[in-house]
Amino acid sequence: MNRIANGRPAIPPQARQPVADLPASKIREIANAGFGRTDLLRFWFGESTRSTPEVIKQAAIAGIAADETFYTHNNGREDLREALSAYLARLHTARFDPGRVTVTSSGVSALMIAMQALLSLGDRVVMVTPIWPNVAQIPQLLGAEVTRIPVRSEAGGWALDLDELLAAITPATRLLVINSPGNPTGWTISREQQAALLQHCRRLGVWILADDVYERLLLGEGAGNAPSFLPIADPHDRLISSNSFSKAWLMTGWRLGWLVAPPELFTDLGKLIEINTSCAPGFIQSAGIAALAEGEPHVAALKADLTQNRNRLIAGLRAIGGVEAPSPEGGMYAFFRISGHPASVELARRLVAEAGLGLAPGAAFGPEGEGWLRWCFAAGQGALDEGLARLARWVSDRQAEEHS
Amino acid sequence: MNRIANGRPAIPPQARQPVADLPASKIREIANAGFGRTDLLRFWFGESTRSTPEVIKQAAIAGIAADETFYTHNNGREDLREALSAYLARLHTARFDPGRVTVTSSGVSALMIAMQALLSLGDRVVMVTPIWPNVAQIPQLLGAEVTRIPVRSEAGGWALDLDELLAAITPATRLLVINSPGNPTGWTISREQQAALLQHCRRLGVWILADDVYERLLLGEGAGNAPSFLPIADPHDRLISSNSFSKAWLMTGWRLGWLVAPPELFTDLGKLIEINTSCAPGFIQSAGIAALAEGEPHVAALKADLTQNRNRLIAGLRAIGGVEAPSPEGGMYAFFRISGHPASVELARRLVAEAGLGLAPGAAFGPEGEGWLRWCFAAGQGALDEGLARLARWVSDRQAEEHS
């Protein structure tokens, strides 16, 4: 076929520039380098190695058998929205009208829908970083400009400079994005910081998007849930909370999430869902109802495990010479660095090749993550211990090399 | 809480204007008017009343039991992409590299991903209309301008003025969208028209997005599949075919679709999926594999039913005085009008209230659909006959009123 147009050589087909400019996943780049290796310990993805609880799986199976395979309401089935509304009331001891709740086809879809609702070309977004790459790429796709305010390793944990963040949020800002507990650091915002940000954003008319997917995973003996903007805000505040069943209920591959938004947005969110995915599958919504009704023992068990794993992993990392490992307050990741290894992609690649250890490079989470590594500790203790041993051996071998 | 900012009264929270400007579904407006009524015959949605075939349901159930509940590849599981590639080869007697196939979380997600890949603010899109509202709303959300070229009722069917369409596609056009067989009319493009459009678009570097969700539902005794752009195009042509398991395999609520695109777009489509839904659930992808492997008898049975239903419905409609009912070549809709009733939303509302008949107003599919009604005939014959009887009675009562 003649593919020369008007005498000019054909240009290969390609996506538009803003799409081509989206960075390829640096995590996947490392994961691909280890593809097919059976001796690897993989801690790079944000996914537990545990299966979805049986009670949730059975609800979906029953849903399929009962032909819950037709279209549902764009904003989600009413029974799931009511179950979410009751769940939120239990969690936050405040009333949440089901008219504020919208079901989405995953947590990332919740973020996409929320940002489609709010962001136009040239809008300015402020976010606390380092952050899950998707959260920054969605505004990039929509043509918005992102200002990044990094948390810092301080006194064995992660700290936000609230004044720096407040100063970055100006009348020209459209949206503030807070992911707390955060991926990749586990940084968790305090109630006082939330109140100050809410007041500031209210005064300036700035929207807040709280990515709350790890709110149930505040770690530590007797820890409750992470502080949420929801109970301190008015239903009509410019606040959207995005959430997901993925992490707390071990439902990553199910692709079910939700939004809590001002009731004024309900119809528009439904219109956006109609043209994005139309609805989440009905039988998966049944799985969500089962998770809310029967999932608490599983959430508690996961939390207890993650707390143990965090303590064990952070202690193990700190015992390795040259390692800085701030303790995450929540979530399921340790974000740490090894002195003398400032290039995280290179380091992660070497750890795969030389130590059989699969970690995510910090650069995947933004420039301020460079030099760091993310270790997902939603894994078995045996695997974590073996991973620690491999890392310790690799670091000590490198040090021996340097001194030889 | 004080919601007065700087002495000015607070403005209620709202989505940005392009989202607020998306029209609310006129189909849902009519459907809501009939909410809770048990005596209604509902033909307004594009969904068969039949259940998903058991073999497909069982594959999903087995997938859940086997813990196919973790993240999958952004572009879809390799086994499903290979199954789709083999299916496309059978259908079009041409080879389709799995590197051209990307799995999406529904047909509408396929359209959204494809248009996100191609459309920037101000881009010009040409589409053949009337058309499923979502197809026109996605470019509207992305800030692109849509030019509509309507098909016309002619000689008992639907006809496209190819010269008019060719003239509308200029060097300033970014994308041509063709949905054939079309929703709502059933208009089906011919091989010759496809060849002329492909040649024209090639010459101008214009992309073609073929929404092929009804390609298996070409109707009539011994009818094959609708003509597709795929077998006449080069893999590197600016052509994307979007598709879905929803219609041909009775899987509307499963939310599984796919794209066939030039291999050059594979990585960028994966990046877009990562930030839209990340992947389709693994066990739903297993259902897709079962549909491709075992679904053909079900597709054939559906097609035979739809052919019978179309013939019966069109004959019945034409027997009613003042009704114009072009016969659809494919799909599952009759698009017809009743003389003397030019306002379709008003007419659809009256038919719900006065005849217990639920149809979609033509205005939902664009201004050129005004005055028409869409009747989904993926329904039981008894229901269709009763619907026809109700419509005939209503029309004759109205005529009697006028003459009394």
Side-chain angles (χ1 to χ4, degrees):
Chain A
M1 260 165 280
N2 177 17
R3 302 187 53 255
I4 308 293
N6 301 329
R8 286 172 289 122
I11 301 159
Q14 54 197 2
R16 66 200 178 94
Q17 204 54 47
V19 176
D21 288 345
L22 291 174
S25 168
K26 291 192 173 70
I27 306 179
R28 233 167 251 276
E29 186 184 331
I30 301 300
N32 287 344
F35 188 78
R37 280 187 56 180
T38 53
D39 58 330
L40 262 186
L41 289 170
R42 294 169 166 81
F43 303 107
W44 40 42
F45 293 135
E47 183 168 51
S48 173
T49 49
R50 285 206 208 175
S51 301
T52 306
E54 195 59 28
V55 64
I56 296 172
K57 290 163 60 177
Q58 288 305 325
I61 288 172
I64 293 172
D67 286 330
E68 293 174 359
T69 57
F70 295 91
Y71 293 126
T72 78
H73 193 290
N74 293 141
N75 296 75
R77 277 166 45 182
E78 203 171 323
D79 51 358
L80 175 54
R81 292 195 293 108
E82 273 168 10
L84 279 166
S85 167
Y87 164 78
L88 292 165
R90 288 198 303 277
L91 212 61
H92 302 302
T93 56
R95 215 185 147 270
F96 292 89
D97 192 275
R100 294 182 63 195
V101 179
T102 283
V103 176
T104 62
S105 303
S106 73
V108 71
S109 183
L111 291 167
M112 174 60 87
I113 299 291
M115 295 207 221
Q116 282 182 0
L118 299 179
L119 297 182
S120 299
L121 191 72
D123 274 346
R124 296 188 190 178
V125 180
V126 174
M127 52 182 70
V128 176
T129 60
I131 199 163
W132 187 42
N134 298 32
V135 184
Q137 287 182 23
I138 294 170
Q140 187 183 337
L141 178 77
L142 299 173
E145 284 166 38
V146 175
T147 301
R148 307 172 69 96
I149 305 296
V151 294
R152 294 195 178 83
S153 164
E154 201 177 289
W158 292 98
L160 169 73
D161 183 334
L162 181 64
D163 290 334
E164 187 188 359
L165 179 57
L166 288 169
I169 304 164
T170 73
T173 304
R174 173 72 171 161
L175 177 66
L176 166 67
V177 182
I178 300 276
N179 168 226
S180 160
N183 172 9
T185 61
W187 165 74
T188 301
I189 195 170
S190 72
R191 165 66 74 235
E192 293 68 34
Q193 289 171 330
Q194 286 177 329
L197 287 167
L198 181 60
Q199 191 186 20
H200 184 72
C201 289
R202 248 181 207 161
R203 201 166 53 79
L204 300 180
V206 172
W207 281 87
I208 299 173
L209 174 56
D211 177 1
D212 291 333
V213 297
Y214 299 102
E215 71 174 340
R216 300 302 308 277
L217 304 181
L218 191 68
L219 305 180
E221 201 65 50
N225 303 305
S228 164
F229 281 97
L230 287 175
I232 63 169
D234 178 299
H236 306 284
D237 269 315
R238 288 172 173 73
L239 169 68
I240 298 182
S241 161
S242 69
N243 219 316
S244 162
F245 285 89
S246 287
K247 310 296 179 179
W249 292 275
L250 303 162
M251 292 176 70
T252 45
W254 294 75
R255 315 282 72 222
L256 188 65
W258 75 87
L259 291 166
V260 183
E264 290 87 346
L265 261 63
F266 187 77
T267 302
D268 283 337
L269 292 175
K271 289 193 284 182
L272 286 172
I273 288 171
E274 172 63 28
I275 61 174
N276 276 275
T277 62
S278 292
C279 60
F283 54 87
I284 287 182
Q285 296 188 53
S286 284
I289 291 173
L292 296 174
E294 318 265 3
E296 286 305 315
H298 299 280
V299 176
L302 176 65
K303 223 170 120 136
D305 263 19
L306 290 176
T307 295
Q308 265 199 316
N309 288 356
R310 175 200 61 178
N311 296 347
R312 200 174 185 101
L313 180 62
I314 295 297
L317 287 170
R318 288 177 176 172
I320 299 172
V323 168
E324 179 183 0
S327 185
E329 291 167 81
M332 49 197 223
Y333 311 103
F335 205 56
F336 70 101
R337 61 181 166 185
I338 308 171
S339 70
H341 294 281
S344 62
V345 173
E346 166 64 14
L347 175 57
R349 203 187 287 278
R350 287 188 65 185
L351 287 171
V352 168
E354 300 168 14
L357 183 61
L359 302 176
F365 306 93
E368 63 287 319
E370 183 53 299
W372 297 77
L373 295 167
R374 189 190 73 173
W375 185 319
C376 175
F377 53 77
Q381 286 197 355
L384 289 176
D385 288 347
E386 172 60 20
L388 278 168
R390 290 187 186 186
L391 183 65
R393 202 176 315 126
W394 185 85
V395 169
S396 105
D397 287 354
R398 295 299 78 70
Q399 284 164 347
E401 272 174 23
E402 276 168 37
H403 295 290
S404 66
Chain B
M1 261 165 278
N2 178 18
R3 300 188 54 258
I4 308 294
N6 301 329
R8 284 173 289 121
I11 302 158
Q14 55 196 1
R16 64 198 180 94
Q17 204 54 47
V19 176
D21 288 346
L22 292 174
S25 167
K26 291 191 172 73
I27 304 177
R28 232 167 250 278
E29 185 184 332
I30 301 301
N32 287 344
F35 187 78
R37 279 187 55 180
T38 53
D39 59 328
L40 262 185
L41 290 170
R42 294 168 166 82
F43 303 107
W44 37 44
F45 293 135
E47 183 168 51
S48 172
T49 49
R50 282 207 208 176
S51 301
T52 305
E54 195 59 28
V55 63
I56 296 173
K57 290 163 61 176
Q58 288 305 326
I61 288 172
I64 293 172
D67 286 330
E68 293 174 358
T69 57
F70 296 92
Y71 293 128
T72 78
H73 193 292
N74 294 141
N75 296 76
R77 277 167 44 182
E78 204 171 321
D79 51 356
L80 175 53
R81 291 194 293 108
E82 272 168 12
L84 280 165
S85 167
Y87 163 78
L88 292 165
R90 289 199 301 277
L91 212 61
H92 302 302
T93 55
R95 213 187 149 269
F96 291 90
D97 192 275
R100 294 182 62 194
V101 180
T102 283
V103 176
T104 62
S105 303
S106 74
V108 71
S109 184
L111 291 167
M112 174 60 86
I113 299 290
M115 295 207 222
Q116 282 182 0
L118 300 178
L119 296 182
S120 299
L121 191 72
D123 275 345
R124 296 187 190 178
V125 180
V126 173
M127 51 183 71
V128 176
T129 61
I131 198 162
W132 187 42
N134 297 33
V135 185
Q137 287 182 23
I138 294 171
Q140 188 182 337
L141 179 76
L142 300 173
E145 283 166 38
V146 176
T147 300
R148 309 172 67 97
I149 305 296
V151 294
R152 293 195 180 81
S153 164
E154 200 178 289
W158 293 98
L160 169 73
D161 183 335
L162 182 64
D163 290 334
E164 187 189 359
L165 179 57
L166 288 169
I169 304 165
T170 73
T173 304
R174 172 71 173 162
L175 176 67
L176 167 66
V177 182
I178 300 275
N179 169 227
S180 160
N183 172 8
T185 61
W187 164 74
T188 301
I189 195 169
S190 71
R191 165 64 75 234
E192 294 66 35
Q193 289 171 329
Q194 287 177 330
L197 286 166
L198 180 61
Q199 191 186 23
H200 184 71
C201 288
R202 249 181 207 162
R203 202 166 51 80
L204 300 180
V206 171
W207 281 87
I208 298 174
L209 174 57
D211 178 1
D212 292 333
V213 298
Y214 299 102
E215 72 174 339
R216 300 302 307 279
L217 304 181
L218 191 69
L219 305 180
E221 202 65 51
N225 303 306
S228 165
F229 282 97
L230 287 175
I232 61 169
D234 177 298
H236 306 284
D237 268 316
R238 287 175 174 71
L239 169 68
I240 298 182
S241 160
S242 68
N243 218 315
S244 163
F245 286 89
S246 287
K247 310 296 178 180
W249 291 276
L250 303 162
M251 291 177 70
T252 44
W254 294 74
R255 315 282 70 220
L256 189 64
W258 75 87
L259 291 166
V260 184
E264 290 87 347
L265 262 63
F266 187 76
T267 302
D268 283 337
L269 293 174
K271 290 193 284 182
L272 286 172
I273 288 171
E274 172 62 28
I275 61 174
N276 276 274
T277 62
S278 294
C279 60
F283 55 88
I284 288 182
Q285 297 188 52
S286 285
I289 292 173
L292 297 173
E294 318 265 2
E296 286 306 315
H298 300 280
V299 176
L302 176 65
K303 224 170 120 136
D305 263 21
L306 289 176
T307 295
Q308 265 199 317
N309 288 355
R310 175 200 62 179
N311 296 346
R312 201 175 184 100
L313 180 61
I314 294 298
L317 287 169
R318 287 176 176 172
I320 299 172
V323 167
E324 178 183 1
S327 185
E329 291 167 81
M332 48 198 223
Y333 312 103
F335 205 56
F336 69 100
R337 61 181 167 186
I338 308 171
S339 70
H341 295 280
S344 62
V345 173
E346 167 65 15
L347 175 57
R349 204 188 287 279
R350 286 188 66 186
L351 287 171
V352 169
E354 300 168 14
L357 183 62
L359 302 176
F365 306 93
E368 62 285 321
E370 183 53 299
W372 296 77
L373 295 167
R374 188 191 74 172
W375 185 319
C376 174
F377 52 77
Q381 285 198 356
L384 289 175
D385 288 346
E386 172 60 20
L388 278 167
R390 290 185 186 187
L391 183 65
R393 203 176 316 125
W394 185 85
V395 169
S396 106
D397 287 354
R398 294 300 78 71
Q399 285 164 347
E401 272 174 22
E402 276 167 37
H403 296 290
S404 69

